[in-house]
Amino acid sequence: MKTYTNPAEDTWNDLLKRPLYDVSELEQSVKAIIEKVKQNGDRAVKEFTYRFDKVELETLRVSPEELNDAKFQVSRQLQNAIEEARMNIETFHARQLHADVYAETTPGVRCWQKTIPIDSVGLYIPGGSAPLLSTVLMLGVPARIAGCKNIVLCSPPDRSGQINPVILYIAEILGITNFFKAGGAQAIAAMAHGTESIPRVNKIFGPGNQYVTTAKQIVSRDRVAIDMPAGPSELVVMADESADASYVASDLLSQAEHGPDSQVLLVTDDEKLIKDVVASINDQLSNLPRKKLAEQALRNSKLILLKNKQLMVRMINLYAPEHLIIACNDYMELAEQIKNAGSIFLGNYTPESAGDYASGTNHTLPTNGWAHAYGGLNMDAFVKKITFQEITKYGLFNISSAVTEMAAAEELQAHSNAVSIRLKNAEI
Amino acid sequence: MKTYTNPAEDTWNDLLKRPLYDVSELEQSVKAIIEKVKQNGDRAVKEFTYRFDKVELETLRVSPEELNDAKFQVSRQLQNAIEEARMNIETFHARQLHADVYAETTPGVRCWQKTIPIDSVGLYIPGGSAPLLSTVLMLGVPARIAGCKNIVLCSPPDRSGQINPVILYIAEILGITNFFKAGGAQAIAAMAHGTESIPRVNKIFGPGNQYVTTAKQIVSRDRVAIDMPAGPSELVVMADESADASYVASDLLSQAEHGPDSQVLLVTDDEKLIKDVVASINDQLSNLPRKKLAEQALRNSKLILLKNKQLMVRMINLYAPEHLIIACNDYMELAEQIKNAGSIFLGNYTPESAGDYASGTNHTLPTNGWAHAYGGLNMDAFVKKITFQEITKYGLFNISSAVTEMAAAEELQAHSNAVSIRLKNAEI
């Protein structure tokens, strides 16, 4: 961990720079995988599964038995935990649905905007060492609430051809039956182009490694929509003398344990806090099963001392973190000033891990500075908004000169004609 | 114009296929332009402006005098038309702002979602034969309503170094003073990376040719967000025997006059209507200034006769048109069944050109089948939604087992610790 004391503002851009991941060299091999899946469908997906996941599958689809039997492998306590989280996520996301918008903009000119669920969505859940079971809830619950008709889920099988039972269990309680054993670029390609067993979808959601991310970017150019660009996870803790060093340390560690590329920052105006946090990190680190991963991430972490809170706010808005904890006395006032962040955690009793699982907010959030332009995943991502207009003859008369004048200025005569021909014999 | 009578459903995919535009060969030259602008800033933009727009510029920024003087070149009638359109667009878009979302998901766990304008947005307005002045309203008005602090506008100059005065005038009334004479990929690169005069933005909006579109796609991979993929404009008219053939013809022509790659379709269950529409098109076509362009588009247009309205609805949902006119008796019922379209125009007195300019809806809409996944441009595109959570000690206690159980299942011990350390000495 490196400490920076009152870095000059013109050095902040360098100080806050994230590591660059150049995926351009992956692009060719990912394109080749996509092309193969497009041509050979299931057969190609199975071949890549054999090559990358080291298992030969007969069928890609998870059977109803596998889905149904999963519950017997999930403890009652974990089932309850999942149910609590599901309810909170549902409560918060359901509130994000808004009534349709209506306006009579001019007498006789009625406009409205209607929210319609995206028909088919594809959810990608990575495999790997730590199964991202919470992500099934974070993507599946809003898709369900939105009313998406077809929900397709892909996740890579382990070497015995199995999917983690908790992931199966959550899919089962959400009623997601289109569940396929497929991972990596081949899963993204299958959902983008469709295969004999995996249905084609309109939009693909979910995190993944660089192959998955690159595949999502490629198919998004001409085929399907995607949720957002994904990068390594990030946490900034903004703290003052009111913060508890051991809490701050626990938050920084919970971010660091994600992996060596995790971004961990502490920004504070309290010099003593930095010392105490470092001591507490060393203390808490020793007992962590993922100690090694956390240590690697901490090596790149930064502890930044600034003169006052105005500077802290300015630095955080420049960095635009995925997660921001504000452990300061006046956290509400400070929160008002944050313009660029994915999700914000307020006060001493709001650890980031609460939002990862169970508070109700979504944990799919903009990384890598994308919080400048994107918010986190929310209900908007699962719907589209169609506009309607219904104009009476009188209404058309009312806006006719606006249309014909502007069409003339754009030199589009036929646009103008479409109005005038309708009013030719008009008796208004 | 080709007529198709009761095409079998398994031929629809082929019948509705859009032409494919392969931009991969542009990619290298666009990348080179972006790289040059990134390195040399204004100098590179000026060089490309000299090469592509054939004019040597001393300064890229439009001067306050140019902005101020524009109004003297815009007729009073056109000024009024613009004002009417502006007001309608403002009315409809302002209604799309929703209150912040709040929920106490569990006692002591407060979550909310706050809407924040994107700080800096870049609007691109193409030059060319027909100046897209209405697009300045369609992008600028929502950016203003959203409260975006920095609005940057780029548009290519003509050979005398001037911008169309109507475009300047609209920028002026919207208070957009960051207006730059730059077009093509170099303008997109400048807004993505920033130059000495052109500020860097967080998101880029606006239509353009294939260079512009390719540049937007490239910079969106790691630099800025973009509005949506853009393609040639499209119109489907869905009509029955209640439609007026001359109105339908005028709508098809208003779409066709955009250019040779415009997509024009009529879908009807009334055989006579097709004949009458063809006759009326030939009739109306002769007086159009853009007759040649319209004729080229009409050569690829399709008139499709289907047996009934259920089939018509199904075909339209498969095609997912940018614009859909429903000129049928029962247009309200039919509109309910349309799931995939950008904007829908209802009845005999609602020409598409009304929405292009003045009804109040946005004319930036998903083309090329993207209406399966995207809605048209709306207020959501100019804002981001940040989530907050504020948890009391009691609230954390209430969700603690949900968090720790799920963290354990994901094998993330530090995530669990961040909760338990806070509750260690808790007296609830």
Side-chain angles (χ1 to χ4, degrees):
Chain A
M1 290 174 285
K2 250 195 190 153
T3 304
Y4 299 80
T5 305
N6 297 319
E9 210 161 333
D10 59 4
T11 67
W12 287 6
N13 266 321
D14 276 337
L15 178 62
L16 300 174
K17 207 163 256 168
R18 287 137 166 126
L20 262 185
Y21 297 90
D22 183 10
V23 296
S24 58
E25 54 187 72
L26 287 187
E27 191 149 323
Q28 286 319 311
S29 51
V30 171
K31 270 187 182 163
I33 294 173
I34 294 172
E35 207 41 54
K36 267 273 159 65
V37 171
K38 198 173 150 183
Q39 280 167 20
N40 300 336
D42 281 352
R43 188 155 61 83
V45 176
K46 286 177 190 171
E47 275 167 19
F48 290 119
T49 305
Y50 182 66
R51 195 191 304 171
F52 299 123
D53 302 308
K54 316 287 179 206
V55 58
E56 234 179 312
L57 295 176
E58 257 187 53
T59 48
L60 297 174
R61 182 184 280 275
V62 171
S63 71
E65 292 73 36
E66 284 174 284
L67 281 169
N68 189 53
D69 292 351
K71 62 174 168 289
F72 302 114
Q73 297 171 66
V74 179
S75 73
R76 174 56 59 187
Q77 293 93 307
L78 185 53
Q79 290 191 16
N80 289 342
I82 289 165
E83 179 56 15
E84 262 187 69
R86 191 195 62 70
M87 284 197 309
N88 285 352
I89 296 165
E90 196 173 292
T91 300
F92 188 58
H93 286 74
R95 298 266 165 103
Q96 296 169 22
L97 288 172
H98 299 287
D100 291 349
V101 168
Y102 171 85
E104 186 160 0
T105 54
T106 290
V109 180
R110 300 174 54 204
C111 299
W112 63 99
Q113 185 199 49
K114 185 173 149 185
T115 298
I116 290 187
I118 296 173
D119 199 65
S120 302
V121 296
L123 316 182
Y124 183 77
I125 305 296
S129 59
L132 282 179
L133 51 102
S134 53
T135 305
V136 189
L137 287 173
M138 293 294 177
L139 304 178
V141 170
R144 270 273 161 256
I145 297 174
C148 301
K149 225 167 35 191
N150 307 307
I151 304 178
V152 176
L153 202 153
C154 283
S155 193
D158 64 19
R159 290 196 181 193
S160 65
Q162 303 301 308
I163 302 277
N164 179 290
V166 191
I167 292 181
L168 290 172
Y169 170 74
I170 298 177
E172 221 274 325
I173 61 170
L174 295 178
I176 300 173
T177 52
N178 275 321
F179 195 143
F180 300 92
K181 296 174 184 174
Q186 60 274 21
I188 303 302
M191 291 193 281
H193 291 281
T195 69
E196 300 89 322
S197 26
I198 304 178
R200 187 184 154 193
V201 301
N202 305 127
K203 188 168 183 176
I204 297 175
F205 297 80
N209 61 19
Q210 296 187 3
Y211 284 87
V212 169
T213 302
T214 305
K216 279 171 67 182
Q217 288 195 332
I218 291 172
V219 297
S220 75
R221 287 178 213 163
D222 59 2
R223 198 69 190 167
V224 295
I226 60 173
D227 47 357
M228 70 178 95
S233 190
E234 306 162 351
L235 169 68
V236 171
V237 178
M238 177 187 191
D240 63 12
E241 76 290 345
S242 73
D244 182 309
S246 69
Y247 300 176
V248 173
S250 76
D251 293 323
L252 296 176
L253 283 169
S254 78
Q255 180 60 26
E257 77 172 339
H258 275 298
D261 54 4
S262 266
Q263 306 292 303
V264 180
L265 270 83
L266 169 64
V267 179
T268 182
D269 57 358
D270 184 26
E271 200 170 350
K272 181 169 177 298
L273 184 71
I274 292 186
K275 276 188 216 133
D276 294 348
V277 166
V278 170
S280 188
I281 284 179
N282 290 328
D283 201 37
Q284 295 181 41
L285 188 59
S286 52
N287 294 318
L288 285 186
R290 291 167 75 96
K291 186 181 168 193
K292 271 201 180 144
L293 291 173
E295 278 175 335
Q296 282 175 279
L298 288 172
R299 228 165 278 150
N300 304 314
S301 71
K302 284 161 187 151
L303 311 171
I304 302 171
L305 181 70
L306 292 176
K307 281 225 171 74
N308 57 53
K309 285 181 180 163
Q310 277 58 53
L311 287 169
M312 288 158 69
V313 165
R314 216 181 300 157
M315 178 179 269
I316 287 159
N317 277 329
L318 181 68
Y319 182 68
E322 182 192 17
H323 304 100
L324 171 66
I325 294 178
I326 309 185
C328 296
N329 258 329
D330 47 346
Y331 60 75
M332 242 3 160
E333 277 162 64
L334 294 169
E336 278 297 309
Q337 300 170 48
I338 300 297
K339 303 297 174 201
N340 303 319
S343 194
I344 302 179
F345 301 77
L346 298 170
N348 280 328
Y349 292 94
T350 314
E352 190 250 84
S353 58
D356 283 341
Y357 298 112
S359 66
T361 60
N362 208 290
H363 77 193
T364 308
L365 296 165
T367 55
N368 207 22
W370 283 112
H372 283 287
Y374 290 90
L377 199 68
N378 59 63
M379 289 306 297
D380 294 340
F382 295 88
V383 299
K384 51 193 182 178
K385 295 177 178 179
I386 301 187
T387 53
F388 294 78
Q389 43 247 293
E390 184 194 21
I391 308 182
T392 63
K393 198 191 263 194
Y394 176 63
L396 189 61
F397 173 77
N398 284 336
I399 59 167
S400 60
S401 60
V403 175
T404 56
E405 282 290 336
M406 290 180 72
E410 289 192 356
E411 296 166 33
L412 295 172
Q413 182 65 46
H415 280 61
S416 187
N417 291 354
V419 172
S420 51
I421 200 169
R422 284 169 160 94
L423 297 175
K424 217 170 37 185
N425 308 311
E427 298 160 30
I428 306 285
Chain B
M1 289 176 287
K2 249 195 192 154
T3 303
Y4 298 81
T5 305
N6 298 321
E9 211 160 332
D10 59 4
T11 68
W12 286 7
N13 267 321
D14 275 336
L15 179 62
L16 300 173
K17 206 165 257 171
R18 284 130 168 135
L20 260 186
Y21 296 92
D22 184 9
V23 296
S24 58
E25 53 188 74
L26 287 187
E27 192 151 321
Q28 284 318 310
S29 50
V30 171
K31 270 188 181 162
I33 294 172
I34 294 172
E35 208 40 53
K36 266 272 159 64
V37 172
K38 198 173 151 185
Q39 280 167 19
N40 301 333
D42 281 354
R43 189 155 60 83
V45 175
K46 285 176 190 171
E47 276 168 17
F48 289 119
T49 305
Y50 182 67
R51 195 192 302 173
F52 299 122
D53 303 309
K54 315 286 178 208
V55 58
E56 232 178 310
L57 294 177
E58 258 187 51
T59 48
L60 296 174
R61 182 185 280 275
V62 172
S63 71
E65 293 73 36
E66 286 175 283
L67 281 169
N68 189 52
D69 292 353
K71 61 174 169 289
F72 303 114
Q73 297 172 66
V74 179
S75 74
R76 174 57 59 186
Q77 294 92 306
L78 184 53
Q79 289 190 18
N80 291 341
I82 289 165
E83 180 54 16
E84 262 186 68
R86 189 194 64 70
M87 283 197 310
N88 286 351
I89 296 165
E90 196 173 292
T91 301
F92 187 59
H93 286 73
R95 298 266 164 103
Q96 296 168 22
L97 288 172
H98 299 287
D100 291 348
V101 168
Y102 171 86
E104 186 162 359
T105 53
T106 290
V109 180
R110 299 174 53 206
C111 299
W112 63 99
Q113 184 199 49
K114 186 172 148 186
T115 298
I116 291 188
I118 295 173
D119 199 65
S120 302
V121 296
L123 316 182
Y124 183 77
I125 306 295
S129 58
L132 282 180
L133 52 101
S134 53
T135 305
V136 189
L137 287 174
M138 294 294 176
L139 303 178
V141 170
R144 270 271 163 257
I145 297 174
C148 301
K149 226 168 35 192
N150 308 305
I151 304 178
V152 176
L153 201 154
C154 283
S155 192
D158 65 19
R159 290 196 182 194
S160 65
Q162 303 300 307
I163 301 279
N164 180 290
V166 193
I167 291 181
L168 290 173
Y169 169 75
I170 298 176
E172 221 275 324
I173 60 170
L174 294 178
I176 300 173
T177 53
N178 275 322
F179 194 142
F180 300 92
K181 296 174 183 173
Q186 59 273 22
I188 303 302
M191 291 193 281
H193 291 281
T195 70
E196 300 89 322
S197 27
I198 304 178
R200 187 185 155 193
V201 301
N202 306 128
K203 188 168 182 176
I204 298 176
F205 298 80
N209 61 21
Q210 296 187 2
Y211 283 88
V212 170
T213 302
T214 305
K216 279 171 67 182
Q217 288 195 331
I218 291 171
V219 296
S220 76
R221 286 177 214 163
D222 59 1
R223 199 69 191 165
V224 296
I226 59 172
D227 49 356
M228 72 178 94
S233 190
E234 307 163 348
L235 171 68
V236 172
V237 178
M238 176 186 192
D240 64 13
E241 76 291 344
S242 74
D244 181 309
S246 70
Y247 299 176
V248 173
S250 76
D251 293 321
L252 297 175
L253 282 169
S254 77
Q255 180 60 28
E257 77 171 340
H258 276 297
D261 54 5
S262 266
Q263 305 293 304
V264 181
L265 270 84
L266 170 63
V267 179
T268 183
D269 57 358
D270 183 27
E271 198 168 355
K272 183 167 176 297
L273 184 71
I274 291 185
K275 276 188 216 133
D276 294 347
V277 166
V278 170
S280 189
I281 284 178
N282 291 328
D283 203 35
Q284 296 179 41
L285 188 59
S286 52
N287 293 317
L288 285 186
R290 293 168 73 96
K291 186 182 167 191
K292 272 204 178 140
L293 290 173
E295 279 175 336
Q296 282 175 278
L298 289 172
R299 228 165 279 149
N300 304 314
S301 72
K302 285 161 188 155
L303 310 171
I304 302 170
L305 182 70
L306 293 176
K307 282 224 168 77
N308 58 51
K309 286 181 179 162
Q310 276 57 53
L311 287 169
M312 289 158 70
V313 166
R314 215 180 302 159
M315 177 178 270
I316 287 159
N317 277 329
L318 181 68
Y319 181 68
E322 181 192 15
H323 304 100
L324 171 66
I325 295 178
I326 309 184
C328 297
N329 260 329
D330 46 348
Y331 60 76
M332 242 3 160
E333 276 162 65
L334 294 169
E336 279 296 309
Q337 299 170 49
I338 301 296
K339 304 295 174 203
N340 303 320
S343 194
I344 302 179
F345 300 77
L346 298 170
N348 280 328
Y349 291 95
T350 314
E352 189 249 86
S353 58
D356 282 342
Y357 298 113
S359 66
T361 58
N362 208 291
H363 77 193
T364 308
L365 297 165
T367 55
N368 205 26
W370 283 112
H372 284 285
Y374 289 91
L377 199 68
N378 60 61
M379 290 305 297
D380 294 339
F382 295 88
V383 300
K384 51 194 182 175
K385 295 179 180 176
I386 300 186
T387 52
F388 295 78
Q389 45 247 292
E390 185 194 20
I391 308 181
T392 63
K393 198 191 264 194
Y394 176 63
L396 189 61
F397 172 77
N398 283 336
I399 58 168
S400 60
S401 60
V403 175
T404 54
E405 282 290 338
M406 291 178 74
E410 289 192 357
E411 297 165 34
L412 295 172
Q413 181 65 44
H415 279 62
S416 187
N417 291 354
V419 171
S420 49
I421 200 169
R422 284 169 162 92
L423 296 176
K424 215 171 36 184
N425 307 310
E427 297 159 32
I428 306 284

